[in-house]
Amino acid sequence: MDNTDEYLLHFKGYNFERSLCDIDQLENLDDFEIRDDDVFIVTYPKSGTIWTQQILSLIYFEKHRKRTETMETLDRVPFLEYNIRKVNYLNRPSPRLFCTHLPYYLVPKGFKNKKVKIIYVYRNPKDVLISFYHFSNVVVRLEEAQDLESYMERFLDGKVVGSVWFDHIRGWYEHRHDFNILFMMYEEMKKDLRSSVYKISRFVEKDLNEDDIDAIVNQATFQNMKSDPRANYKAILKNEIGTRTDEGHFMRKGTIGDWKNHLTVKQNERFDRIFQRKMKGSTLKFIWDINEG
Ligand code: PPS
């Protein structure tokens, strides 16, 4: 058993977070009974999952928008494959909202009916790497990162939850015609949250007025999520996920281009070479810098 096996569950070519998984449930994912009006957020880890959970929950739940009901976002938008806060998650009234880090080839076969709505959020992989690196030192369920140099190799080799970033994104993008899917870019959400909220609400066919949109945008900014214990998963992180110290948060910097503060020139050049090779031929657009248009 190599070191990562203590933390990772290798199943059908993909790495799951071992401590949150049940192998029987994974075996049955293919036959998971979906409803036509289910909505799924799909992400590679550290790409804006919680952010999109918050936005979707605000779009669907008036009581969340108006702050009249206190409920954990994860109870409104639970994980499909991970066992965390999954009380009654199947029998919720429609439309049910879920999130998942699954690769395209492991999702329930019902996804291919092209009715289930999928919102795939992707983020430039250098910022994903840096976010993951920090998070690995926060959470007890992830293997600690020694230093960025070795963590970058681990990330590029896919020996992390979510496996190889390039495979995740390419897989979903290249099979997009098999699904009813909207691609959202973290960086565009960051640059223009209001338009992004509109785009998501149009995709899920929810008619919202200007006040609703204002309320959603307001509660989905990084600063407001960071200071809201429910939006930032404070209690869940501490009590259910488990942290190594009191310093760790899901909401760390929430910006574009933090990789520039961490990667050396040499590391960055190596990353670029690999990115160019692995993403060759892909038409996906990326934003690497906050000032980029
Ligand atoms: S996880 O563990 O996979 O669920 O993590 P995930 O939620 O996908 O990603 C965490 C990163 O998303 C950032 N984040 C945000 N950025 C901008 N605006 C908002 N509102 C927001 N909410 C979360 C969060 O800060 C993590 O990125 P880093 O770079 O570490 O700050």
Side-chain angles (χ1 to χ4, degrees):
M1 185 162 101
D2 70 27
N3 201 21
T4 53
D5 286 355
E6 190 188 332
Y7 298 92
L8 300 178
L9 175 70
H10 311 283
F11 180 80
K12 297 191 178 171
Y14 182 75
N15 288 328
F16 291 86
E17 198 167 329
R18 180 180 284 282
S19 64
L20 292 175
C21 281
D22 173 342
I23 194 102
D24 290 336
Q25 274 181 26
L26 297 185
E27 293 280 5
N28 292 319
L29 269 178
D30 203 31
D31 295 322
F32 179 85
E33 246 180 74
I34 57 151
R35 300 181 194 155
D36 285 352
D37 55 4
D38 284 342
V39 182
F40 281 79
I41 297 165
V42 183
T43 56
Y44 184 88
K46 314 319 293 177
S47 302
T49 322
I50 292 180
W51 191 8
T52 317
Q53 281 172 302
Q54 171 82 347
I55 293 171
L56 211 55
S57 167
L58 287 162
I59 288 177
Y60 274 89
F61 296 95
E62 189 180 1
K63 288 179 175 170
H64 188 180
R65 279 199 303 277
K66 301 222 156 110
R67 303 173 197 260
T68 53
E69 185 176 71
T70 53
M71 192 172 168
E72 294 292 349
T73 316
L74 201 51
D75 291 334
R76 291 202 176 96
V77 197
F79 259 96
L80 176 64
E81 70 274 31
Y82 288 125
N83 289 325
I84 182 158
R85 301 188 71 86
K86 275 179 127 171
V87 184
N88 199 28
Y89 83 113
L90 290 177
N91 299 323
R92 290 173 293 150
S94 289
R96 297 177 305 182
L97 313 177
F98 292 95
C99 70
T100 178
H101 291 320
L102 286 173
Y104 80 96
Y105 65 91
L106 286 184
V107 292
K109 57 176 178 288
F111 271 45
K112 294 222 171 147
N113 71 6
K114 295 205 187 175
K115 293 203 170 106
V116 173
K117 295 182 177 72
I118 303 168
I119 301 161
Y120 186 97
V121 183
Y122 73 99
R123 184 181 190 185
N124 89 59
K126 291 180 192 170
D127 281 330
V128 171
L129 162 71
I130 300 304
S131 180
F132 225 162
Y133 168 67
H134 287 286
F135 200 61
S136 299
N137 289 329
V138 165
V139 168
V140 290
R141 294 171 191 270
L142 297 175
E143 187 185 357
E144 235 173 328
Q146 303 301 329
D147 53 74
L148 184 55
E149 179 80 16
S150 56
Y151 190 79
M152 181 167 130
E153 292 314 305
R154 209 203 289 170
F155 176 80
L156 291 170
D157 283 349
K159 292 183 178 154
V160 292
V161 174
S163 294
V164 178
W165 178 89
F166 302 97
D167 295 345
H168 202 279
I169 186 116
R170 287 205 76 139
W172 274 104
Y173 193 64
E174 280 157 27
H175 290 84
R176 63 192 180 282
H177 302 302
D178 297 340
F179 305 104
N180 177 15
I181 190 165
L182 171 73
F183 278 81
M184 295 294 299
M185 194 203 289
Y186 173 102
E187 291 77 8
E188 280 178 354
M189 289 166 61
K190 181 78 194 174
K191 282 170 167 286
D192 190 347
L193 184 53
R194 198 178 180 82
S195 301
S196 302
V197 168
Y198 261 120
K199 208 166 166 181
I200 295 173
S201 61
R202 269 200 309 275
F203 178 69
V204 298
E205 298 167 86
K206 290 291 267 183
D207 234 350
L208 299 167
N209 62 36
E210 287 296 312
D211 288 348
D212 293 333
I213 298 282
D214 284 343
I216 296 166
V217 171
N218 182 264
Q219 290 182 65
T221 63
F222 180 75
Q223 281 317 325
N224 288 346
M225 280 183 67
K226 193 175 170 71
S227 57
D228 173 351
R230 194 153 286 112
N232 69 28
Y233 283 14
K234 192 172 180 194
I236 290 177
L237 186 61
K238 187 162 185 274
N239 305 326
E240 294 177 53
I241 297 178
T243 53
R244 295 183 204 278
T245 69
D246 287 338
E247 297 306 307
H249 309 283
F250 272 104
M251 310 290 127
R252 191 185 58 92
K253 281 199 174 168
T255 191
I256 307 169
D258 188 37
W259 59 270
K260 292 184 181 178
N261 300 316
H262 291 84
L263 295 183
T264 63
V265 172
K266 201 165 154 229
Q267 285 165 343
N268 185 39
E269 284 173 357
R270 174 163 157 68
F271 201 111
D272 281 342
R273 274 197 306 277
I274 293 171
F275 181 88
Q276 263 135 36
R277 180 159 47 84
K278 297 259 198 176
M279 295 304 285
K280 200 165 178 212
S282 173
T283 49
L284 268 173
K285 186 183 159 210
F286 289 91
I287 292 181
W288 305 93
D289 186 287
I290 192 91
N291 299 314
E292 211 177 302

